[in-house]
Amino acid sequence: MSKNNWKVGLRAKLEHLVDDCVVAGARQQDVFDTIIKEIGNLRAALERDPDPAEDDVAVIEEPADRGGHATS
């Protein structure tokens, strides 16, 4: 995407989202209000944790092999 193409793509996605919600029975103004509210929530969450994807990485530690053998 070029420097400004992302804005055109974003607008198209927002229009599609609003249309889908209205077709599903929501009032257009309610959809706009909810989008604005959720953008505020997203902005606040990203200010607290700018890269939440890194939080999803779980490191599974394997038990250390101490070289011991089972004895009977």
Side-chain angles (χ1 to χ4, degrees):
M1 262 187 226
S2 74
K3 191 174 185 177
N4 290 316
N5 267 355
W6 68 268
K7 292 178 183 180
V8 173
L10 176 62
R11 180 182 175 118
K13 288 179 182 182
L14 283 171
E15 288 175 358
H16 187 73
L17 175 63
V18 170
D19 186 52
D20 285 350
C21 292
V22 170
V23 168
R27 287 183 4 166
Q28 188 180 54
Q29 188 60 47
D30 292 340
V31 176
F32 290 142
D33 292 343
T34 301
I35 288 171
I36 291 167
K37 178 183 171 195
E38 290 303 321
I39 288 172
N41 293 341
L42 179 60
R43 176 179 273 174
L46 291 175
E47 286 174 358
R48 286 190 304 272
D49 188 0
D51 196 358
E54 289 180 355
D55 298 344
D56 294 339
V57 178
V59 177
I60 299 174
E61 302 268 339
E62 294 293 328
D65 182 10
R66 300 182 185 209
H69 297 283
T71 58
S72 40

